[in-house]
Each structure stands twice: as C-alpha cells, then as structure tokens.
Amino acid sequence: MSLLVVGSVAYDGVETPHGKVERMLGGAATYIALAASHFSPVRLVGIVGDDFASDDEGILRDHGVDLEGLEKVAGKTFFWKGVYSNDMNDRETITTDLNVLADFNPKLPESYRETPYVLLGNIHPSLQKQVRDQATAPHFVGGDTMNFWIEGTPDELAEAIRGWNFILINDAEARQLSGHYNLRAAAKAIHEMGPETVIIKRGEYGAILFHQGEHFVAPGYLLDDVFDPTGAGDSFAGGFMGYLAEQGVTFGDEAAGLHLRRAMIYGSVMGSFCCEQFGVGRLRALTREQIDKRFEEFRRFTDF
Amino acid sequence: MSLLVVGSVAYDGVETPHGKVERMLGGAATYIALAASHFSPVRLVGIVGDDFASDDEGILRDHGVDLEGLEKVAGKTFFWKGVYSNDMNDRETITTDLNVLADFNPKLPESYRETPYVLLGNIHPSLQKQVRDQATAPHFVGGDTMNFWIEGTPDELAEAIRGWNFILINDAEARQLSGHYNLRAAAKAIHEMGPETVIIKRGEYGAILFHQGEHFVAPGYLLDDVFDPTGAGDSFAGGFMGYLAEQGVTFGDEAAGLHLRRAMIYGSVMGSFCCEQFGVGRLRALTREQIDKRFEEFRRFTDF
C-alpha cells in the first residue's frame, strides 16, 4: 500500500570527522521517502525553490517517489548546515535558511488523499495537522517532532499529535515533552496526549516501542564506522512506515504488535545504512537483498 | 560448580534523588557474591576491618557465601561515599578511605585453589594477578577494571589481563583502554591484549558481548524507578559468572556461545534488580523464580 510523506526537502552542508560536503540533497522528507521507497510506493508532499536541481529530483523519481505533491516555487530551497563533534554524538547547527519553506502551505493532490499510511515528518505542527486533515482515509498516521516545536509551539503540537496513531520522538525530547525522566513514565504521559503507539529513539543505542501496555527494545546496529549521521532518524521513520505499508498492516488486529516490532527493526536497519555514507548516498545504492540481510543480522546478534 | 570472587568488601555512603544512606554494606565483591549466590556456590576473597559487623557477615553467610578467604584485621573496613546526579547518570565520589584495603595481600585458602570459575573484581591489577596465579585449575577467568587503573597502573593492568579469558569493562573505559572510540574497534584491540571474550557494559543501555568474531547485544531493562545504581555493574558480573558456573559451561565447546549470551541476560537481570533498592537490599530478598521471570521478560521485550 502507499505511504504519504510530508516534510522538508532541502540542501544540506555537513561536516563530520570523516569529511565535509558543502551542499547535497537532504531534508526529512527526502530521507524518509528514499528509505521507505525500498518497501512501498511513496507520495511526497513538500516544497523546493527554483534552484532545486533536476538531478536531485531524478534521485527521488528513480526510486519511484511520486512527486505530484512537490511544489516548486520561485526562490531558494531550504538550506541547513551543521558540524558534528568528534564522537558524532553532538552537532552544532551553523545555518538554517528556511527560504521557500517559510511560506509552505501544503496541499494534497487529489490522487494523494486516500493514502492509508501517513507519515508527518518534522515540520511546524500546524502544517502537520493541515496535511493530516486533508487525508480522507488514513489508516495509520503519525509523525516526528523536535525540541524546537516542543518549546516554541506547544499548543499547536498538542493539537497536532492528539490525532496521531503513533509518534516518533528521541529520548531527550520525550523527556522534555512529558516532563518525565524515566522513559516508561514519559511514554505513558505521551500516550495520554493522543498516540496509542510511542516510539522513543535513542540514537546509537536503538529505539523503544511502547504499544498496548507492552514494550519492545530494538538495539542499535554496531557500525564499523559512522560517516554521517544526518538523516538517520528520518531513515528509521521511513523504514518503519515503509515496512508497515508494504505489509498492509491493519491496526487493531492481533498480528499488529509483531509487525510493529519488525517495523522497528527495519527502521533500525535503514537508520544504520544511512550513516555509512554522506547524505543519501547509501540509501540510493541499497538493494532489498542487502536490507533483508541486515535484518537477519539483527536476529543473530539479539538471539539467546 | 564453584565461583571464586575477589574484590572489595566495603561500607558505602550513598545519596541519590530517592534518599540517603550514611553507611551500609557494599563493595564489588559483596555485590558480585550476592548476585552470583543465586546461581552457584561462591568463595570470597577479601579483607575487612574489626568494625565489620557480624550482621553483615551474616548476610553473606545466609546466601551460602564461603568466607574462609575473608580476612579480618585490626583497623577499619574500606569506606566509599558518593552522590548521584539527578538523572543518575553521573556520580561524584565524596570519600574513598582505603583503610585495611591498602595493605591487602590476598592469599587463597587451600580449599579455594581448584575453583574452576574465577572472577576478579575491580581492585589493583597486581592483586588480581596475584589471586589468579594462586588458582591452580582455572577453567574460565576474567575480571573488571576501571579508569583509575587504566590511567595509574597501565603496565600492571596489561600484565594482569594478558592471562584473562574475559574482561568486563564499561564503554568509556573500553575506549580509554583501547584508544578507539568505535566499540567494535575497541573490542578488537582489547581482545588483542589477551581476553578472547570482551564484554562492554553500557549502563542503562545494556551490554555487548564480543566472542569469537561474533557479537551479542543485551538490552538494558527499563526500570520503573532507579533507586540506587551502586553495584549494578558488579551485580551484572555476578549474574553473568554465577550462571556460567551453575551450568558448568565448558569453553571451546559449541554451546559456549549460547551460554555466554544467556549469561549476559542473567547479568542484566541481576544488574536491574540491584537498582531497585538501596545497597544490597534487593539482591538479598530475591528468589530464583523472580530472577527467571525477569529473564523471560527479556525474551518478551526483545522478540520479533
């Protein structure tokens, strides 16, 4: 089944201990779409400027991403630049030029409206709500958020996530949003804000799924080398939702719990691949065979 | 089979956000012995002063811990005092009074010498070596260390661990000892220093086993509340080795890998219980049924 994705399509400048790239294709929706495209058809909603290169559009099209919802307007594409610390656990944002994203007013093409799986990438919560409200038959809908919205637009965020089936959030932000340090308590509090399913991401340590009173701990993959962690969280989201859409998982049915767990592992697989090269390099070159091979690796290193 | 444990037997003063205890039974060997005692007979080597209370000795005896190797001398028992940060991820040492531990010269009673499983708790590496050299038939021997010895006595540490089958070490210390940030690379470098099996502890995130070119990721247990993390790493070590001794695991045989993985989970189980009360409170009150129930919980929250 199809997956609707909204979020930023961007150019990124990234510096890590392994090197420096001045300008490359990036943005939450780009990483999500490319990761998810290995599993299911993706419909993208976003905005770019007239500087958006046809080669970059080609990268998305080559992965079968539907770009009818990618608006192209006069001006410059959103630009972000960041520098990672030596251990890659911290990053400093050098530049955030919203450019055309500042006036983004997402409208779903008619052909997108009935998409059953909806993933709202990290943008202003009011825009997330606007997209969600235009979807006429969402079966499973949720999204990502960040400290910027938790601090800056708490009411809009609360309003947005009330209608979500799931939320993806990192551990520090889960603590911030809920006011609880303990992750079980944080997940419970966030659950009471709306989402029945709460996924807390822990960077290199993996992620935890809280669903129907149970939890599932997905470990992080031990990479030989982390080249560029940019987009890893979005790639996780893409693998997670791409797998659920591929399987056509019906929530409420008994098998949903097991599918969600496997989706967590596919998310972890895609997040780990993402870090192996700069930008979307690794996500572009992947085959489904490589993805499934790493999924089986997760079985091997967690089996007891 | 029996397990030989050497390490500090101490009094601890601990302050956490949940409360404060001025003086209670502690020390690496105490936590290891109590955790391991739920699995196998334990023989303890240590030293205490004449202030060591018979009630505290009784706690160890009640768990069947053999105290023939616990030397009692004139003077005061080792005392440590620490305060934990609000999130419990950091602790500040307020007091370290070595007292009788300063002149510890461990001698194995005759009845201890043929113990097949040997766990060298965190003490001066020369003392660890001294104990190991007195064991006449060690089948599986290894230990713990810390930044203090990595920085202060690197040559003695290198000399000690050369003869170990396994090493338990936390992630920051593994990086320090190996000079590698990446944990795969760190484990490989440490492996080349002697131990064929390397266990890297990651606090609340669990631990990783590196063994014969494979690795296994044990997740941390999500506690509802962490009361006092003191001794959690030692309880992990005790659960890990206690289980291996109980099973009489023979290294080199094919099933060893699977047993090591299960030992990692039993270690995690014991470490998680340890945090639920101040000091050794929770370890004392545990039943094997509760331990096995939590082991099964680990299966449930990792299964996909």
Side-chain angles (χ1 to χ4, degrees):
Chain A
M1 292 197 186
S2 287
L3 169 62
L4 175 67
V5 173
V6 63
S8 57
V9 176
Y11 283 115
D12 288 347
V14 171
E15 190 176 340
T16 84
H18 287 284
K20 192 174 174 174
V21 177
E22 289 295 347
R23 183 181 172 88
M24 61 185 173
L25 178 62
T30 303
Y31 282 100
I32 294 172
L34 286 176
S37 73
H38 292 280
F39 301 89
S40 60
V42 177
R43 296 165 176 167
L44 192 147
V45 178
I47 190 165
V48 291
D50 47 23
D51 61 345
F52 194 66
S54 60
D55 278 1
D56 292 321
E57 208 174 302
I59 292 174
L60 291 161
R61 284 203 200 283
D62 285 349
H63 281 77
V65 178
D66 187 336
L67 298 180
E68 194 186 335
L70 181 64
E71 213 181 328
K72 204 166 188 171
V73 299
K76 281 185 170 182
T77 300
F78 174 47
F79 181 75
W80 175 84
K81 185 175 175 176
V83 178
Y84 286 85
S85 63
N86 272 332
D87 65 7
M88 305 257 197
N89 281 331
D90 289 304
R91 73 176 184 196
E92 193 193 342
T93 291
I94 306 293
T95 313
T96 306
D97 292 334
L98 282 181
N99 299 328
V100 299
L101 195 63
D103 300 313
F104 187 31
N105 182 22
K107 276 182 280 315
L108 258 55
E110 199 52 43
S111 65
Y112 281 23
R113 291 186 184 261
E114 291 186 7
T115 316
Y117 296 87
V118 180
L119 180 48
L120 308 162
N122 176 26
I123 47 170
H124 193 297
S126 298
L127 298 185
Q128 291 178 314
K129 186 169 187 309
Q130 194 175 326
V131 170
R132 190 248 169 276
D133 289 348
Q134 293 176 62
T136 54
H139 174 61
F140 194 58
V141 54
D144 196 1
T145 192
M146 70 185 294
N147 53 359
F148 187 76
W149 313 118
I150 296 170
E151 290 155 23
T153 59
D155 296 339
E156 292 89 335
L157 182 62
E159 179 67 19
I161 68 176
R162 197 170 298 144
W164 293 2
N165 299 107
F166 71 96
I167 185 170
L168 289 152
I169 190 165
N170 78 32
D171 44 7
E173 289 156 0
R175 286 166 172 147
Q176 190 181 16
L177 178 62
S178 67
H180 290 278
Y181 183 80
N182 182 284
L183 293 183
R184 278 195 190 209
K188 193 160 174 281
I190 294 170
H191 169 66
E192 282 160 10
M193 297 174 192
E196 61 257 37
T197 300
V198 176
I199 294 141
I200 298 183
K201 297 177 288 178
R202 306 164 107 186
E204 63 173 309
Y205 300 109
I208 312 175
L209 165 78
F210 294 89
H211 175 73
Q212 295 188 333
E214 297 262 317
H215 69 277
F216 170 70
V217 179
Y221 184 82
L222 286 192
L223 284 161
D224 279 322
D225 236 330
V226 174
F227 268 79
D228 174 12
T230 311
D234 295 315
S235 300
F236 177 98
F240 175 79
M241 274 295 264
Y243 171 77
L244 293 174
E246 177 193 51
Q247 299 295 317
V249 176
T250 302
F251 290 85
D253 97 0
E254 235 174 86
L258 183 58
H259 277 303
L260 279 170
R261 287 162 176 245
R262 292 188 179 156
M264 292 284 289
I265 300 297
Y266 275 110
S268 305
V269 164
M270 300 311 286
S272 71
F273 276 124
C274 177
C275 298
E276 291 184 349
Q277 286 181 26
F278 273 93
V280 299
R282 192 71 186 96
L283 293 184
R284 284 179 65 185
L286 273 178
T287 65
R288 182 59 188 263
E289 201 187 336
Q290 291 170 321
I291 293 168
D292 286 336
K293 201 176 150 202
R294 186 159 292 181
F295 181 92
E296 290 307 319
E297 263 192 81
F298 271 81
R299 282 208 189 283
R300 278 211 306 287
F301 71 71
T302 57
D303 183 53
F304 61 93
Chain B
M1 293 198 188
S2 286
L3 168 63
L4 175 66
V5 173
V6 63
S8 58
V9 176
Y11 282 116
D12 289 346
V14 172
E15 190 175 339
T16 83
H18 287 285
K20 192 174 174 174
V21 176
E22 289 294 347
R23 184 182 172 87
M24 62 184 172
L25 179 61
T30 303
Y31 282 100
I32 294 171
L34 287 175
S37 72
H38 292 280
F39 300 89
S40 59
V42 177
R43 295 165 175 167
L44 191 148
V45 178
I47 190 166
V48 292
D50 49 21
D51 61 344
F52 195 66
S54 60
D55 278 2
D56 292 321
E57 208 174 301
I59 291 174
L60 291 161
R61 284 201 200 285
D62 285 350
H63 281 78
V65 178
D66 186 337
L67 298 180
E68 196 187 334
L70 182 65
E71 214 182 327
K72 206 166 186 171
V73 298
K76 281 187 169 178
T77 300
F78 173 47
F79 181 75
W80 174 84
K81 186 174 174 177
V83 178
Y84 286 85
S85 62
N86 273 332
D87 64 8
M88 304 259 197
N89 281 331
D90 290 303
R91 72 176 184 196
E92 192 192 343
T93 291
I94 306 293
T95 312
T96 306
D97 292 334
L98 283 180
N99 299 329
V100 299
L101 195 63
D103 301 312
F104 187 33
N105 181 23
K107 277 182 280 316
L108 258 56
E110 199 52 43
S111 65
Y112 280 24
R113 290 185 185 260
E114 291 186 6
T115 315
Y117 297 86
V118 180
L119 180 48
L120 308 161
N122 176 26
I123 46 170
H124 194 297
S126 298
L127 299 184
Q128 291 178 315
K129 186 169 186 309
Q130 193 174 327
V131 170
R132 191 246 170 274
D133 289 348
Q134 293 175 64
T136 55
H139 174 60
F140 194 58
V141 53
D144 196 1
T145 192
M146 72 184 293
N147 53 358
F148 188 75
W149 313 117
I150 296 171
E151 290 155 22
T153 59
D155 296 338
E156 293 89 335
L157 182 62
E159 179 66 20
I161 68 176
R162 197 170 298 144
W164 293 3
N165 299 109
F166 72 95
I167 185 170
L168 290 152
I169 191 166
N170 78 30
D171 45 6
E173 289 157 0
R175 287 167 171 145
Q176 190 180 17
L177 178 61
S178 67
H180 290 278
Y181 183 79
N182 181 284
L183 293 183
R184 280 195 188 209
K188 194 160 174 278
I190 295 170
H191 169 65
E192 283 159 11
M193 296 175 193
E196 61 257 38
T197 300
V198 177
I199 294 140
I200 297 182
K201 298 177 288 179
R202 306 164 107 185
E204 64 174 306
Y205 300 109
I208 312 176
L209 166 77
F210 295 89
H211 176 71
Q212 296 189 330
E214 297 261 315
H215 70 276
F216 169 69
V217 179
Y221 184 81
L222 287 191
L223 285 161
D224 280 321
D225 235 330
V226 174
F227 267 79
D228 174 12
T230 311
D234 294 316
S235 300
F236 177 97
F240 174 80
M241 273 295 263
Y243 171 78
L244 293 174
E246 178 192 52
Q247 299 295 316
V249 175
T250 303
F251 290 87
D253 97 359
E254 235 176 86
L258 183 60
H259 278 303
L260 279 170
R261 287 162 176 246
R262 290 188 182 156
M264 292 284 291
I265 300 297
Y266 275 111
S268 306
V269 164
M270 299 312 285
S272 73
F273 277 124
C274 177
C275 299
E276 291 183 351
Q277 284 180 27
F278 273 94
V280 300
R282 192 71 186 95
L283 294 184
R284 285 180 64 184
L286 272 179
T287 65
R288 182 60 187 262
E289 199 187 336
Q290 291 171 320
I291 292 168
D292 287 335
K293 200 176 150 201
R294 186 159 293 182
F295 182 92
E296 290 307 320
E297 262 191 81
F298 271 81
R299 282 209 190 283
R300 278 211 306 286
F301 71 70
T302 57
D303 183 53
F304 60 92

